[in-house]
Amino acid sequence: MLKSLARPVTQNLARTTFSRGFASQASTAIPTPAPVEQQTIAPKKYGGKYTVTMIPGDGVGPDLAASVKDVFKAANVPVEFEQYDVSGMTSSDDKLFKESLESLRRNKVGIKGTLFTPATKLGHTSFNVTMRKDLDIYASLSLCKNIPGINARMSNVDIAIIRENTEGEYSGLEHQSFPGVVESLKIITRAKTERIARFAFDFAVKNNRKKVTAVHKANIMKLGDGLFLRTCREVAEEYKHHGIAFNDMIVDNTAMQLVSRPQQFDVMVMPNLYGNIVSNVGAGLIGGPGIIPGCNIGREYAMFEPGCRHVGLDLADQNAANPTAMLLSSVMMLRHLNLDDHANRISNAVYETIQTGTAKTRDIGGQSSTTEFTAAVVSKL
């Protein structure tokens, strides 16, 4: 069972307040994607230490990766990183990117920041998308919930956003059929829709969630999104005996409902592009992209990264980024590696730092730098 961010064990009354109410601290379990008869290959462990592939990424990525390494060192976490400083700013890193993929194939587990993808037609394809497709890391999970100590636009938000990672609009199949005419293909398959739907319902069952909402645009894209919706409905029938409610919602209505009444959502499942948009809307509701942890799960590999994939080029080299999302994503990774005691200490320290206001970065109403926030977390281990 791949587990993520189980509730930390509180050792005294002073810490009790920091371990309640947040989704990634509650006993959150990630379903094992592989069927029962197929054993997932275990992460690599040498000399009592796990080896994990680290790709800091672009923008604020190096600052966030440094924060994780500092906290892990202070907490004596038995993890060693194979670091690959891949950058999406230039295509000359193609060779290094391939080496990082080989490292992930060896280690089975990785943690990364977001790699920049150029918007020009001359730019290389997205390293982020390529990694998920090549390794079939098909399920993306972002945990979107209010954190005590952070003023947010909305309260009582607790949403698990699950998106399919390997097809949809991100299939990358497009061509110019005639000068000035471009065809871009959106791929939806029954097989991949069924497995992401089962992932969402399994997540709901294992985490005592009550409802799954499928997001679509089947009223317009009747074949593609129609297939997605029908498949989700079929899978939902199989989980009725678990008491999991199911509904569906058109994506444009979803956007409006999220900013007006987000409390109605529990688990959400959707194709790739919709998930990207919804997770960013969710971030805006609870305080920004710097506080949402996330992970990407496949049959054999797991990659942990912030739930909102922001590069943050405007904050690069300013020591101003909020490392909360990256630290909580690393805690999810520790749960996956069954290092629960270390995960408990780090998650408690992060939430205590925020709730007591010991250190707050600019995005959550403070003036602390990334290193100051990290030092405050270390002091509370």
Side-chain angles (χ1 to χ4, degrees), residues 62-289:
D63 290 342
L64 304 184
S67 177
V68 170
K69 289 189 289 186
D70 289 346
V71 172
F72 273 36
K73 181 178 179 180
N76 294 315
V77 178
V79 166
E80 291 183 346
F81 293 109
E82 284 185 3
Q83 182 167 326
Y84 292 84
D85 296 321
V86 182
S87 174
M89 303 295 289
T90 170
S91 59
S92 62
D93 273 3
D94 281 357
K95 181 179 179 182
L96 186 60
F97 174 67
K98 292 177 181 177
E99 292 176 3
S100 70
L101 284 184
E102 289 305 314
S103 170
L104 187 55
R105 285 190 173 97
R106 288 194 305 273
N107 300 326
K108 312 302 177 187
V109 178
I111 186 167
K112 67 181 281 291
T114 304
L115 293 162
F116 175 77
T117 303
T120 65
K121 66 179 181 179
L122 298 178
H124 59 78
T125 57
S126 169
F127 287 159
N128 303 293
V129 174
T130 300
M131 179 179 299
R132 298 174 199 128
K133 290 177 66 176
D134 283 4
L135 301 181
D136 198 27
I137 308 176
Y138 67 86
S140 168
L141 169 66
S142 299
L143 298 175
C144 179
K145 181 167 180 169
N146 295 105
I147 296 179
I150 296 180
N151 293 324
R153 297 176 184 273
M154 296 288 185
S155 59
N156 300 317
V157 177
D158 183 3
I159 309 172
I161 301 168
I162 295 171
R163 60 187 271 204
E164 209 290 325
N165 254 344
T166 61
E167 56 179 17
E169 294 84 356
Y170 287 23
S171 300
L173 301 174
E174 54 183 10
H175 62 276
Q176 181 172 265
S177 56
F178 185 81
V181 179
V182 172
E183 296 180 1
S184 183
L185 300 180
K186 172 179 176 176
I187 306 299
I188 298 288
T189 63
R190 180 181 297 276
K192 291 189 176 183
T193 299
E194 182 175 342
R195 71 176 181 178
I196 196 64
R198 291 189 186 282
F199 185 94
F201 278 94
D202 285 343
F203 179 90
V205 170
K206 295 176 188 303
N207 293 283
N208 197 30
R209 298 277 186 158
K210 303 303 182 186
K211 183 173 72 171
V212 174
T213 301
V215 179
H216 64 92
K217 191 64 177 173
N219 59 325
I220 301 299
M221 289 174 274
K222 299 182 184 297
L223 293 180
D225 279 30
L227 175 60
F228 183 88
L229 178 57
R230 288 194 306 275
T231 305
C232 286
R233 286 174 173 170
E234 291 168 3
V235 172
E237 289 295 317
E238 301 176 21
Y239 287 82
K240 272 189 173 180
H241 66 285
H242 288 290
I244 305 296
F246 173 77
N247 71 331
D248 62 84
M249 192 173 291
I250 295 172
V251 64
D252 39 343
N253 183 32
T254 302
M256 187 270 288
Q257 296 291 337
L258 275 170
V259 299
S260 57
R261 196 165 61 90
Q263 298 83 3
Q264 67 184 287
F265 297 108
D266 193 352
V267 177
M268 306 177 74
V269 61
M270 62 207 76
N272 214 331
L273 179 60
Y274 305 159
N276 196 354
I277 296 169
V278 166
S279 61
N280 280 271
V281 173
L285 298 177
I286 67 166

Side-chain angles (χ1 to χ4, degrees), residues 32 34-42 299-300:
T32 305
V36 176
E37 66 274 11
Q38 177 182 335
Q39 296 294 321
T40 3
I41 297 176
R299 291 189 183 279
E300 192 172 340

Side-chain angles (χ1 to χ4, degrees), residues 342-369:
H342 295 89
N344 289 341
R345 294 177 60 208
I346 295 173
S347 59
N348 269 331
V350 170
Y351 292 117
E352 186 175 347
T353 297
I354 295 173
Q355 189 167 348
T356 59
T358 306
K360 286 188 175 183
T361 49
R362 285 183 288 178
D363 62 315
I364 55 176
Q367 294 297 324
S368 301
S369 66

